[in-house]
Amino acid sequence: MFTGIIEELGEVVEWSPGTDAARLTVRGPLVVGDASHGDSISVNGVCLTVVDQGPDWFTADVMAQTIAMSTFTSPTPGEPVNLERAAQVGDRLGGHIVQGHIDGTSELLSITEGSAWRIVRFSLSADLAPLVASKGSIAIDGISLTVSDVGTDWFEVSLIPETLSVTTLGRKTVGDTVNIETDILARHVERMLAFRNGSAS
């Protein structure tokens, strides 16, 4: 489990694709400082497991389903990524409960500059639209954010200068894709309602 508070801006070192999976090596001195084999690290919102590591890098396996659902199609060396270690019991929960199990991707549709913030609009698929609410929580590339506005096929977040400077969102441009994870509570409510209405599958 994660909180969506990014600890470090790392970078892709190597992407080694296989037939139905890939290996991703990421440089992140802070997050590997106390990491061990088998530990979970969120990379752009995707929960990955450490299988190898060095003084300032770690390697993780990325399964075919994750590749298909995320922006991990072919990361390039030097590409920046948001990193967060798994939360520890007793830590402050500065963001919200983030599992690292993304729902899919969204496209950046527009950017509106404010005096000290930036409003960013993303696409929203029909299957995820019921799970996104105004003032609700959402994780974008692993970053815990509050939905500032939402429509039937889009949602917006308002980004403060700190978020823009310490995460990858400050580098995004219109047309870029991001990983999104909806709020876990909304997922469970939708599932319960589906059973109540007899539409669960």
Side-chain angles (χ1 to χ4, degrees):
M1 186 184 79
F2 306 92
T3 67
I5 304 299
I6 303 305
E7 294 185 286
E8 182 176 20
L9 199 57
E11 67 175 30
V12 173
V13 174
E14 185 178 7
W15 173 257
S16 302
T19 54
D20 61 352
R23 280 210 156 183
L24 175 66
T25 300
V26 174
R27 180 173 292 109
L30 175 63
V31 298
V32 298
D34 62 353
S36 301
H37 187 277
D39 283 355
S40 295
I41 296 177
S42 171
V43 181
N44 275 0
V46 179
C47 178
L48 297 177
T49 301
V50 175
V51 297
D52 195 11
Q53 67 187 100
D56 65 349
W57 58 270
F58 70 94
T59 297
D61 290 319
V62 185
M63 299 296 100
Q65 183 183 17
T66 302
I67 295 171
M69 291 186 62
S70 73
T71 56
F72 289 154
T73 51
S74 57
T76 56
E79 180 180 331
V81 287
N82 299 316
L83 302 176
E84 181 191 355
R85 292 169 290 186
Q88 293 181 324
V89 175
D91 277 357
R92 292 183 179 88
L93 187 61
H96 71 283
I97 295 173
V98 178
Q99 293 182 296
H101 305 158
I102 65 166
D103 295 301
T105 62
S106 288
E107 180 183 350
L108 199 162
L109 300 176
S110 66
I111 298 172
T112 304
E113 298 288 352
S115 59
W117 65 89
R118 183 178 296 170
I119 298 173
V120 186
R121 177 174 290 195
F122 293 95
S123 64
L124 183 60
S125 62
D127 60 322
L128 297 183
L131 305 177
V132 180
S134 180
K135 306 303 184 290
S137 296
I138 194 164
I140 300 177
D141 276 352
I143 307 160
S144 174
L145 295 166
T146 300
V147 176
S148 55
D149 199 4
V150 64
T152 56
D153 60 356
W154 58 268
F155 71 93
E156 291 180 345
V157 291
S158 299
L159 306 177
I160 61 173
E162 176 72 5
T163 303
L164 293 170
S165 65
V166 303
T167 74
T168 56
L169 283 183
R171 297 170 167 84
K172 297 294 183 184
T173 59
V174 172
D176 286 347
T177 56
V178 295
N179 298 316
I180 63 168
E181 179 185 332
T182 57
D183 184 36
I184 185 175
L185 297 178
R187 293 183 195 173
H188 284 293
V189 169
E190 183 188 47
R191 181 69 171 163
M192 288 187 293
L193 289 175
F195 271 101
R196 179 173 292 179
N197 297 332
S199 60
S201 57

